[in-house]
Amino acid sequence: MPSEDAPYRTNAPSEPERLRLFILGGGTAGWMTAAALSRLLPPAAYELVLVESDRIGTVGVGEATLPHIKVFNDRLGIDEADFMRQTGATIKLGIEFVGWDLPGGRYLHPFGTFGEPWAGVDFQHHWARARLAGKPVGSLQDYSYAAALCRAGAFELPAEDRKSIRSTYAYAYHFDAGLYADYLRRWATARGVRRIEGEIVSVGKRPETGHVETLTLRSGAVLAGDFFIDCSGFRSLLVGDEMGVPWQDWSRWLPCDRALAVPTGRTAPLPPFTRATARKAGWTWRIPLQHRTGNGYVFSSQFASEEQAHDTLLRAIEGPALAEPRLLRFAAGRREKAWAGNCVAIGLSAGFLEPLESTSIFLIQSAAMDLATLMPVPGRVADPRLAAEFNRRNAIHYDRIRDFLVLHYIANRRTGEPLWDALRDQEPPDSLADKIALFRAAAQTPDYELGLFSRDSWLAVFEGQGILPEGYGRLADAVPADELDRRMAALRARIAENAAGVGSHADFIAGHCGADDRQAVPA
Ligand SMILES: Cc1cc2nc3c(=O)[nH]c(=O)nc-3n(C[C@H](O)[C@H](O)[C@H](O)COP(=O)(O)OP(=O)(O)OC[C@H]3O[C@@H](n4cnc5c(N)ncnc54)[C@H](O)[C@@H]3O)c2cc1C
């Protein structure tokens, strides 16, 4: 097995049957990609090398995830308790949105189902029917077991019996992004990925094709490869700078372009959810880890100065800041293509969507998996059909997430605040306008085969942002009205009773994967 420090052959040709893959960048994107490819590709056919610069470093944020990450870790064969212990991870059952519709209002986007289908008809149709008939059926939130666990600060692993209400949710993690990248680095280098530390200062291209051929380090070493994965972060060194792929700008819908991030001590009790609180010029996050809490303010520089944002963040946090707030700059959008020639962008080099729904790590995961599936073979590294399919999937992922994020902003009633007024007046993308109209008319939600988000996620945010159905699918009328009342009351009671018997999230963490001597500080 190669050691991390072993000298690398520079400029030597690849073995004829072995494709040499370079991953440029060692942030979350670089190491997730390296781990996935080293796990999935046959080692006899592919050689994997990752180049990263300690001097440049990584963005070092990205602490909240979606349940898909568990599928990724399981695919790698990562032991959950070990991974959670080493990354300071906690459980995430959803996101609590505070003040997004109206100041003071709150709702959960839980990682679980709302209700259950009756007579083969999705639950929201029954709920909409009962509501429209004037029945006191409450909020959709009352029909989510995951939401009940969030409110109780409770957690247990989902039941395996698919008929049990205790099986109707999934979970994700909050973790320390730097520790996760370190974890994957150890994992991937132990499985043959070679790591080179150094800064790339120039890129050599084949004049006849325009394809990337070499990376030159500041030390003068020249690295020759066949295929290049650009995980260089916002710099987008290969796909942006070298291949010149244009940027699609989405800032008219998502104008936040700055974030300030700051850690505080661990909160007690330990919530099993992320909190996103709307503020005058954006929103703040709170992400509870085992050993500390991640906090940040995502804001638009058109509506607040950095000094004002700094004050807002320090007033919003619970407990003293453990460091000076760190500023990050970005823009919402994506590269028109992520795969160009013999280069593929994964991570921030491919695009950026603000972390409101914790989607960036999911985008890395899906791109790494798509690349493994569509990986070119020696002699055909720039197959345009593979590139076109990768780009099609990648664009669908980004565009669908964009619509979901924009929904949180345009459907607000925070009148008198310039950012929120401007966004409410903004025309949504056509694809989002259609989804809102369909839900209003008939309680129908998008039904995607590929990409985020699922029915339950749309339901949570539609209702939470005050978009309510004015009709429903008439197949729901198959359930007699008096039976519908009885079933809805029984479901609410079943959720409440079951949730009341579950232990606390903090106890689960201590028993499952608690790290040593982690001090709790009062919230
Ligand atoms: C404020 C904020 C909050 C976020 N929160 C979340 C969240 O909660 N959940 C989520 O899923 N995502 C979140 N994200 C996104 C997440 O942080 C990123 O998707 C993730 O960290 C991946 O980053 P990356 O690896 O693409 O880039 P980076 O971390 O920037 O890594 C880039 C790598 O490229 C290397 N590099 C660059 N140039 C060179 C060079 N010339 N030579 C050699 N090496 C080079 C660097 O050394 C580094 O190793 C957040 C992002 C921001 C900005």
Side-chain angles (χ1 to χ4, degrees):
M1 196 168 293
S3 94
E4 275 188 41
D5 303 323
Y8 188 69
R9 294 172 298 150
T10 56
N11 240 353
S14 326
E15 295 156 37
E17 291 311 319
R18 211 160 175 234
L19 208 65
R20 187 179 298 160
L21 305 180
F22 272 98
I23 299 171
L24 197 182
T28 311
W31 285 113
M32 281 182 80
T33 305
L37 297 184
S38 65
R39 171 74 181 79
L40 298 173
L41 298 179
Y46 296 93
E47 179 186 358
L48 282 163
V49 186
L50 184 146
V51 188
E52 65 180 322
S53 158
D54 290 344
R55 198 183 67 79
I56 293 175
T58 66
V59 296
V61 279
E63 302 181 325
T65 60
L66 294 174
H68 309 72
I69 186 114
K70 183 164 161 44
V71 178
F72 182 82
N73 285 353
D74 288 351
R75 190 91 194 262
L76 298 187
I78 285 175
D79 176 76
E80 181 178 75
D82 178 59
F83 142 77
M84 290 186 73
R85 197 174 301 116
Q86 294 203 40
T87 60
T90 61
I91 296 291
K92 176 179 170 190
L93 279 170
I95 305 172
E96 183 186 43
F97 289 94
V98 180
W100 282 80
D101 174 22
L102 286 166
R106 57 182 70 213
Y107 67 92
L108 281 153
H109 167 192
F111 296 151
T113 52
F114 285 105
E116 51 197 12
W118 292 325
V121 179
D122 279 343
F123 178 78
Q124 77 269 16
H125 297 286
H126 300 292
W127 172 78
R129 176 184 169 208
R131 260 195 86 254
L132 291 167
K135 302 280 170 71
V137 285
S139 158
L140 273 175
Q141 302 264 315
D142 302 333
Y143 301 89
S144 163
Y145 186 64
L149 291 182
C150 288
R151 284 192 297 270
F155 182 74
E156 66 181 1
L157 293 172
E160 284 178 11
D161 174 6
R162 308 299 299 164
K163 290 201 209 86
S164 166
I165 195 81
R166 293 177 129 154
S167 73
T168 58
Y169 60 100
Y171 65 93
Y173 312 103
H174 304 116
F175 55 54
D176 184 311
L179 295 178
Y180 185 55
D182 289 349
Y183 188 89
L184 290 181
R185 180 173 87 165
R186 288 193 297 277
W187 194 94
T189 51
R191 281 157 186 82
V193 176
R194 187 184 292 262
R195 170 183 184 259
I196 295 178
E197 198 288 312
E199 185 181 342
I200 290 157
V201 289
S202 71
V203 176
K205 293 204 281 189
R206 241 178 236 282
E208 46 313 350
T209 58
H211 291 170
V212 171
E213 194 175 23
T214 56
L215 306 175
T216 303
L217 298 178
R218 189 172 289 286
S219 65
V222 179
L223 312 172
D226 301 304
F227 195 79
F228 295 83
I229 305 166
D230 182 353
C231 298
S232 63
F234 289 126
R235 286 174 183 79
S236 199
L237 273 184
L238 301 181
V239 171
D241 288 359
E242 293 299 327
M243 306 309 283
V245 175
W247 176 255
Q248 233 180 61
D249 179 67
W250 290 342
S251 53
R252 69 180 182 283
W253 293 303
L254 297 168
C256 289
D257 56 358
R258 303 272 190 284
L260 281 164
V262 72
T264 54
R266 170 173 160 151
T267 47
L270 193 63
F273 55 85
T274 305
R275 178 177 291 156
T277 305
R279 308 275 173 190
K280 223 166 155 177
W283 57 279
T284 52
W285 77 75
R286 185 194 70 175
I287 299 178
L289 308 182
Q290 288 188 43
H291 52 303
R292 62 171 171 79
T293 302
N295 308 274
Y297 186 18
V298 173
F299 64 99
S300 166
S301 59
Q302 289 171 55
F303 296 92
S305 66
E306 285 167 15
E307 293 71 32
Q308 287 167 330
H310 189 276
D311 288 351
T312 303
L313 177 62
L314 292 188
R315 274 201 308 274
I317 57 179
E318 298 157 355
L322 300 181
E324 250 313 288
R326 198 158 67 85
L327 181 71
L328 297 120
R329 294 192 168 88
F330 46 77
R334 68 166 166 84
R335 297 270 154 210
E336 281 183 4
K337 296 185 289 187
W339 183 328
N342 62 342
C343 300
V344 173
I346 296 184
L348 300 173
S349 59
F352 184 74
L353 284 161
E354 61 182 68
L356 185 57
E357 287 280 355
S358 322
T359 43
S360 290
I361 291 174
F362 165 81
L363 286 165
I364 295 169
Q365 167 181 350
S366 55
M369 289 301 177
D370 282 345
L371 180 59
T373 310
L374 297 167
M375 182 54 76
V377 293
R380 296 234 307 270
V381 286
D383 187 329
R385 291 159 305 189
L386 298 180
E389 176 58 9
F390 183 91
N391 288 332
R392 184 187 74 83
R393 295 184 192 185
N394 196 62
I396 287 176
H397 281 304
Y398 272 90
D399 297 0
R400 288 184 169 166
I401 294 171
R402 176 203 62 199
D403 281 5
F404 194 61
L405 297 188
V406 173
L407 173 64
H408 297 66
Y409 282 106
I410 57 154
N412 83 78
R413 288 181 287 172
R414 296 179 64 103
T415 47
E417 295 176 284
L419 168 89
W420 298 93
D421 288 342
L423 286 167
R424 203 174 42 253
D425 293 343
Q426 177 71 48
E427 278 296 308
D430 290 347
S431 47
L432 175 58
D434 290 346
K435 289 173 188 120
I436 295 174
L438 188 61
F439 183 71
R440 277 217 170 95
Q444 288 292 348
T445 54
D447 183 12
Y448 297 148
E449 296 228 333
L450 179 69
L452 304 173
F453 277 87
S454 68
R455 177 193 82 109
D456 296 290
S457 300
W458 283 94
L459 288 177
V461 180
F462 276 142
E463 192 204 12
Q465 299 288 151
I467 296 177
L468 295 172
E470 291 156 11
Y472 59 93
R474 301 313 292 252
L475 295 182
D477 291 339
V479 178
D482 53 343
E483 190 185 328
L484 180 60
D485 295 348
R486 190 189 55 71
R487 282 192 190 190
M488 293 193 79
L491 179 56
R492 285 197 303 270
R494 186 147 51 100
I495 287 172
E497 277 158 27
N498 277 275
V502 179
S504 78
H505 173 223
D507 285 350
F508 173 84
I509 293 294
H512 186 62
C513 57
D516 312 329
D517 57 38
R518 303 248 148 109
Q519 291 289 314
V521 296

